[in-house]
Amino acid sequence: MSNIAKKVSWSSRGDDRGERTPLLNGAEDVKYTRKDIVRSRPNEIPHNEKLLSLKYESLDYDNSENQLFLEEERRMSQMSFSCLEITRWVICGLIGFLTGLIACFIDIAVEYLAGVKYFVVKQNIEKFTELGGLSISLILWAVLNSAFVMVGGIIVAFFEPIAAGSGIPQIKCYLNGVKIPRVVRLKTLVIKVCGVICSVAGGLAVGKEGPMIHSGAVVAAGVSQGRSTSLKKDFRMFEYFRRDTEKRDFVSAGAAAGVSAAFGAPVGGVLFSLEEGASFWNQMLTWRIFFASMISTFTLNFFLSIYHGKPGDLSSPGLINFGRFDSDTMEYNLYEIPLFIIMGALGGLLGALFNLLNYWLTIFRIRYIHRPCLQVMEAMLVAAVTATVSFAMIYFSNDCQPLGEDHTEEYPLQFFCADGEYNTMATAFFNTPERSVRSLFHNPPGSYNPQTLGLFTLVYFFLAVWTYGLTVSAGVFIPSLLIGAAWGRLFGILLSSITTSQSIWADPGKYALIGAAAQLGGIVRMTLSLTVIMVEATGNVTYGFPIMLVLITAKIVGDYFVEGLYDIHIKLQSVPFLHWEAPATSHWLTAREVMSSPVTCFNRVEKVGTIVDVLSNTSTNHNGFPVVVHTIEEDEPGKICGLILRSQIIVLLKHKVFVERASSRLSQRKLALKDFRDAYPRFPPIQSIHVSQDERECMMDLTEFMNPTPYTVPQETSLPRVFKLFRALGLRHLVVVDNENMVVGLVTRKDLARYHLGKHGLEELQLAQT
Amino acid sequence: MSNIAKKVSWSSRGDDRGERTPLLNGAEDVKYTRKDIVRSRPNEIPHNEKLLSLKYESLDYDNSENQLFLEEERRMSQMSFSCLEITRWVICGLIGFLTGLIACFIDIAVEYLAGVKYFVVKQNIEKFTELGGLSISLILWAVLNSAFVMVGGIIVAFFEPIAAGSGIPQIKCYLNGVKIPRVVRLKTLVIKVCGVICSVAGGLAVGKEGPMIHSGAVVAAGVSQGRSTSLKKDFRMFEYFRRDTEKRDFVSAGAAAGVSAAFGAPVGGVLFSLEEGASFWNQMLTWRIFFASMISTFTLNFFLSIYHGKPGDLSSPGLINFGRFDSDTMEYNLYEIPLFIIMGALGGLLGALFNLLNYWLTIFRIRYIHRPCLQVMEAMLVAAVTATVSFAMIYFSNDCQPLGEDHTEEYPLQFFCADGEYNTMATAFFNTPERSVRSLFHNPPGSYNPQTLGLFTLVYFFLAVWTYGLTVSAGVFIPSLLIGAAWGRLFGILLSSITTSQSIWADPGKYALIGAAAQLGGIVRMTLSLTVIMVEATGNVTYGFPIMLVLITAKIVGDYFVEGLYDIHIKLQSVPFLHWEAPATSHWLTAREVMSSPVTCFNRVEKVGTIVDVLSNTSTNHNGFPVVVHTIEEDEPGKICGLILRSQIIVLLKHKVFVERASSRLSQRKLALKDFRDAYPRFPPIQSIHVSQDERECMMDLTEFMNPTPYTVPQETSLPRVFKLFRALGLRHLVVVDNENMVVGLVTRKDLARYHLGKHGLEELQLAQT
């Protein structure tokens, strides 16, 4: 991504704030409209997390309460509102149901494919262990892995690159109000689901949980609109919900349903949605989200119970299965708490290291691996290396354990062990990652020896770092848990070896759980929702307090070094993401300094030609236009009387709602909200709309369609105050007016997102066109 | 409470909305300022839930960003902000710790006092069962109960009536932004704690959980301010937090810590705070709340573990102890789900009945039992009746059960049963309610016979209805759970008796749990937080889905008939409570119709005499004044340039910050934020400030102290839009301006809260001075 932003002199924190006009030097590469001006530190900063991309548009989470909308709302009876509310519940139920079904499909497909793969490889290994020539087994394993990953990589890289990764950063951005193109399309869902099946079956160090969240969100965005634009099928249902505000609410529910299905954690799902996405907390909305989550877990459990031949047994957990932690064995004592905190700190450190390595790797990828075929090849390489390393680890390991009667291993590999014994390194490597986690949590003390665990942690850590960010659909939850569980168990074993009384530290599984939480917390840095997810997934609340302690510690330690993994990836995409609050030290900035100015405004009744010209201007590409009334003269800024969006004008132009036309052809029907809803969300570009020379001379009356009461702030408003208003109400445009109500500026998401707290105090990001 | 509101003609939903000016008839009792105008339905409505009290003021959850504040913020370095953040965490930890300690104290005190009481009565009963003359035992029991309750009643009724009840409605109001006088004072806390110990020890049908939430909130309000106004002790700490916004955040944490201690449910506590109180969800705040909750549970468990002689065993639950539900026995099947839904509906119905009866009773109490001595006598009467009814039930019950080896009864009463048997009715009545709930959940099948349970449900239901609303500190959670557990268990027993295969329905304890959830949900109508609280309190997540289903059903069914218990009590107090959203059908109302007008404004530089006169006018009693600049003439409304609060002006007057004075005495120090913080929150009334005749002629410059950027809306803004802005930002005053930025009206909490959806569509509440 090239940095084509223009540089101007860094306007330092001056004391002449009130009167200061932007200081522009006369360099030729500087345009004199404020919109294009970028203030940056003089020295060029190479990484693009110091940029803010202009390519991302915002979503309209503030209803445009124009006349059409108000008329519709006023026509509706109380009964209609109740029906709408019931419809919302039904849709949430549907979202939960479909998300649960998808989770079920992924689970069964992965289990089946991985089962076949491990069976074939196991047979082969057993054959060649006796005969010699295990390299053939290795090649078989590597080829099988690469084949799966190739399929997964190709569909993602060539058909829908947005389906890569876990999708959690994308959904975070969507809920934050950033429009990520194609993120909630049906095609994305299909590629995502197939992709994740391939990557997990391909033996990569990934999990199938993260993508469920994205899948749930897509399901929600689709179901709630009552149509599929991709399939060109409109069911003529749920038309009321065809706007960003309503869609966002359903997408929150979908994301929650996804978490719920992935971890069997309905409450965790609700909290995830809130922690990562929401801003304004609404009770009814939260209950609907909770309902969708519950239905999702229920559906998944119901169908899985049928698949597993125990129909009706709903007590099983979600996609991930940590196994049952029994209350009796799972107790902890006061003196263990310092140990937990140490583990949390360790998790924070290792998490920060993970994120830092992955950050460097991602920058490398952005620079050098951006062609799809290269991306697929890298993914295949990782798959082959994963198989090779795993094989080598198993091959050189001489850690054999007797095969117990109630062993939990699905594919115990005997390898060079004596009869009746199995290779413990294989339980960690020759298995889907979830099963490995479960073994680490529940296998009885003594199942693993410390070297095995240490080596495994080390190798798996680097494999996971390398894997995250590949062009395949995959989540980072499970590998994180696995790394953590491994060193956690190691920690537990070491503890019991250095203390005399074995009984207290008897259960290394407990430390595996704490380690897993610490590592995951250190990487993704969620606390509240993660605590609940862990508690719900383990089915035991006893460990709530230690897990919470560990997660908080991991977050504090990790945040000291580097941000969370998702935030890093959001920043690397230069997304204008709005955090919870304005930077603490930004009180000296006011709306006057952050706003874009001058603002392109329209008159209440505007010439079509002017409108088309403004909309066609690719250098500005504004999306919202204050509508003004001029009192004195045309050159002066006008008094604000409304706000109209590009999308609304596009619909008006498409339907040719011109004043002269209306008077000449009286038969022309009045434009209704339905026309706007039909065009939502893929409004055509201005270039596709043909406006004849005659029509250019017509006038357009925007009165009926503009939002007559946009939120405004005076110029003196401090940045935190502007930020709070913007964030709490989910605004896209905030008009800045002077004390005569004249439009003097416009604050958009990018104007707020570009301020952030850096090492040297408040910093400003550059704006870039990419 | 007398209704002194004036009536004017009911202005119907007119079509001439845009141009309509208030239609006032010329009756003499109508003042012509809009503020006093009350629109009501023509027929007088007697109950005061149709009124909106004017006596409640709002809290300022929007920072007044005046020059002083901005200067302070701008002076602060990033380090200072980090220190503040750390301080916030420390305070939250303290809040959790102290709340946990209080919970611990209540628990131990109740256990001790109730233990002594039951021991004495049991001895007495055993003695007189053989001798005859059990009426002496009855009298002893009744007198003991009444004595406890008398103490509890007297301290509440005579010293701090706000400490009555559970305190949850009050905390809900506080977090909503309503200033309830004396609700977070130290005295209230002391009375509350002592009161709840007395009422629970006095054998009333109450729990000790609800008051914990109030206690936590008071602790938070006290600790976070670093001083106690009651004790006249200022620690000179935490001065930055002396404003409503910060205090509210801590009070949320305190309430959460209270829930957490009461139910051993830290996550439930966070959700409770959010579900009942929050509006803007802030991630950092939520984590702090979670931290306080965790510390609270931890402290409680730690001290209780020492008290119970197992120091360091932290795995025990909160105040309430539902006992451990084991994963193995607690499973449910698909065909049980319809049964759960039926139970939910039943809970909703019974809950609605409970609320309705209690509502009538409360109206009766408001009318006839408002003298403290009457209130104490009623409480004593209820205590005596409770003892008598319990005794009679035990006496006439002939349901004996063999005393198992591992019986959970603390005080098994043999009564007229054979040796080695005990009276089962006594396990329900002769026990603290928590123990009874635990017995109902966990006693093996066959411990109760159906008649006993049916009779118990019936009797306890009416006792609980009568008890809630007495002038004692007490919660409604436990009695609700107990009623529900009783009929739930009955439901389970009846189920197993009508089906042939006993084994499926073997565990009536499961139905007791579901019944308890249904009944509690039917009464208080919380869903998300209650689900989590129940799950955390039972220590088992398996039942999350059924409990959620049951709670949702109970809520839907219950809401069809009557509101939740807390909402009823809030309404009966005529509190201007803002719900989550504006009524659905209120789009036809605009700011012009809801605002108060004309508005009392001040000039930037205003005469002291004018200010004092306006502030002293008891008939208006405004709390916020727009500051305006007059452009043309004095009579016209002025252009908005700021907003100043009564409390700020009071401080200015107290310090005599007059322009003439300042120029004459140059030594006078500049007023700082500290002066405002020192006066917070008990600003003196205007009457206590002496302003001499000379001083009245001075001028006051408000520029530095007013908020220069208050939020404004145009007159055409629809009510839902105004509401959203008001609610999301926690405003107290919202200035309505015309398109010249002239002040035309002011929207306050009461203007918004008075619209609600009634049976006949949108209704408007009357405003009353009481």
Side-chain angles (χ1 to χ4, degrees), chain B residues 485-556:
Chain B
W487 66 252
R489 193 165 176 120
L490 179 63
F491 190 91
I493 294 173
L494 293 181
L495 262 184
S496 60
S497 71
I498 57 168
T499 52
T500 46
S501 67
Q502 282 264 331
S503 65
I504 304 175
W505 320 97
D507 188 14
K510 174 164 68 177
Y511 290 95
L513 176 63
I514 296 292
Q519 183 66 55
L520 183 54
I523 291 173
V524 302
R525 309 284 165 78
M526 297 184 283
T527 56
L528 185 60
S529 54
L530 218 49
T531 307
V532 178
I533 288 173
M534 295 289 291
V535 166
E536 288 189 289
T538 55
N540 194 301
V541 297
T542 317
Y543 270 6
F545 184 68
I547 288 175
M548 177 263 180
L549 259 189
V550 155
L551 287 175
I552 290 262
T553 317
K555 184 180 165 59
I556 292 170

Side-chain angles (χ1 to χ4, degrees), chain A residues 342-416:
Chain A
I342 292 170
M343 290 181 78
L346 201 55
L349 280 176
L350 287 175
L353 182 65
F354 186 103
N355 293 358
L356 205 63
L357 292 176
N358 190 267
Y359 164 73
W360 287 331
L361 189 64
T362 308
I363 287 181
F364 177 83
R365 281 192 180 127
I366 288 172
R367 292 222 185 114
Y368 303 107
I369 313 180
H370 37 70
R371 279 172 54 201
C373 51
L374 277 177
Q375 292 174 333
V376 174
M377 280 164 65
E378 194 202 4
M380 287 170 67
L381 177 68
V382 175
V385 168
T386 306
T388 313
V389 168
S390 308
F391 192 87
M393 297 292 290
I394 298 172
Y395 189 83
F396 293 112
S397 156
N398 48 9
D399 178 16
C400 296
Q401 295 285 344
L403 199 57
E405 281 189 18
D406 56 342
H407 62 89
T408 52
E409 317 313 319
E410 194 99 341
Y411 320 103
L413 273 186
Q414 189 182 346
F415 237 81
F416 300 121

